[in-house]
Amino acid sequence: MTANETEAVDETQEPGTELVSGYGSSPGVATGPVRIVEDIDEADRIDEGDVIVTEMTAPDMVPAMKRSAGIVTDEGGMTSHAAIVSRELGVPAIVGCGEATAVLADGQRITLDGQKGTVVVPDADAASTAEEAVADADPAGESPDPTAGGAPTTATEVKVNVSIPDAAQRAADTGADGVGLLRLEHILLSTSKTPEKYVADHGEDAFVEEISEEIRKVADAFYPRPVRARTLDAPTDELAELEGGEDEPHEHNPMLGYRGIRRSLKEPEMVKLELRAFKRLHDMGYDNVEVMFPLPNDAEDVRRARELMDEVGIDREEHDWGAMIETPASIRAIDEIIEEGIDFVALGTNDIVQFMLAVDRNNAMVADRFDDFHPTILEAMAEVIEACNEHDVDTTITGQSGSHPDMAKFLVEKGISSLSSNIDAVDEVRRVVARAERKLLLDAARESLDDVEPRID
Ligand code: PEP
Ligand code: MG
């Protein structure tokens, strides 16, 4: 489609007039025609350079998201599907706008700023074709050169989060020290079928192969840097959207419900297929692939997961494995969890904040209460890091706040082993980490000089 075919411009509105606003969730500025997507079937209407405006994106919209110049959603917070995926694709996005699908009209040209979180009437001379709009938005852009300007080497590792294997090369090109979190659910959900349905249609071996081949893309892009891949953590409401989803239980609070390790431990045969995918990769020589379990509450959850790894023959001596720390209970049980033999923990602040502050992470109504810097959260993270450091267990942060410079500084001061951030934040986090580490060294040096008698030679 060319811009002239269906674009509508409201001549009555001054350029720069704000139309809607929300949470800037993927940086960049894009100008293009609105395409309202009410149903996934309509995602085919998205052409290069269109701006998707929808209630909330779904896993099978990813190809359309890739083609788009920008994304605007009514619902969702900074850790919603739209936010995570658009960041990895490098497509500017705004989430939690409330009423974008009602306020904006199909074909209307808009400019969105994924940093500020605003949608405005474009300048008259803003890119007038879809192609130019794409170039303006620079969705994928050039991969940042990690050595440009002399990227500092830091003692604290700076890793990157990956959800979409197609973004693996872009992520690897940041020069990150590895993948701190590869979410398996985006891989599984992109098959458009629930895992059960996939297995019913194609068989167990095909399922194992499908997952391992997707993880392999990331393992290849990063080799020999480590890739921590996490077993499935998909809430039932997301699974319900897929083929086979009619069999999913209906839950009032999916985020508090049947997801992560609690589902895996109830359906061991399913998670064992996921674990077989890891084993397959290890057997192929991918010694950089590590297993991570989401959402345990206590040592028993971790022990049972470990036993499943043993059942499928994963060699824990050879391959590191670990657990996400994401619930208040797991924070309190950190010493016992460590005793189960984990090599690392990942602080899942998206869930820690949700559960400690009782703020639904997907509810835009309370998004302003989602505070990663709440003193309770900071204290909890510091406690986990201290306990892990006492036992030589590696710590990392994989939640959205791991991309925030102030959080990076705080966690370096508390002794975290690594941070895992969004692709677009790696460079800045690395710089902040380097500065924080130097400051710690300088402070220590000054302190030791305090004991020395002042003397001018
Ligand atoms: C988290 O909870 O911080 C996390 C990284 O996991 P997810 O966002 O996938 O729940
Ligand atoms: Mg989580």
Side-chain angles (χ1 to χ4, degrees), residues 181 183 185 230 233 255 259 294-295 324-326 348-352 354-355 361 398:
L181 169 63
R183 292 177 167 98
E185 49 273 19
R230 189 180 70 181
D233 182 10
M255 273 296 172
R259 57 176 277 228
L295 221 63
M324 303 277 300
I325 295 297
E326 308 189 270
T349 42
N350 304 338
D351 278 313
I352 292 180
Q354 160 165 265
F355 295 132
R361 57 191 267 188
T398 55

Side-chain angles (χ1 to χ4, degrees), residues 144-151 173-174 430:
D145 177 357
T147 57
D173 290 346
T174 61
R430 205 191 270 119

Side-chain angles (χ1 to χ4, degrees), residues 63-143:
M65 292 168 78
K66 266 190 218 165
R67 287 195 298 277
S68 72
I71 297 161
V72 179
T73 68
D74 288 346
E75 296 174 1
M78 297 293 277
T79 63
S80 58
H81 179 270
I84 291 170
V85 174
S86 57
R87 274 195 298 268
E88 287 194 13
L89 296 174
V91 177
I94 307 175
V95 298
C97 294
E99 47 184 13
T101 51
V103 170
L104 302 174
D106 208 67
Q108 176 182 8
R109 291 183 65 244
I110 57 169
T111 295
L112 72 98
D113 186 325
Q115 186 83 43
K116 294 187 196 146
T118 52
V119 174
V120 300
V121 176
D123 285 337
D125 59 354
S128 58
T129 68
E131 285 72 25
E132 282 171 46
V134 173
D136 275 0
D138 192 16
E142 287 287 299
S143 296

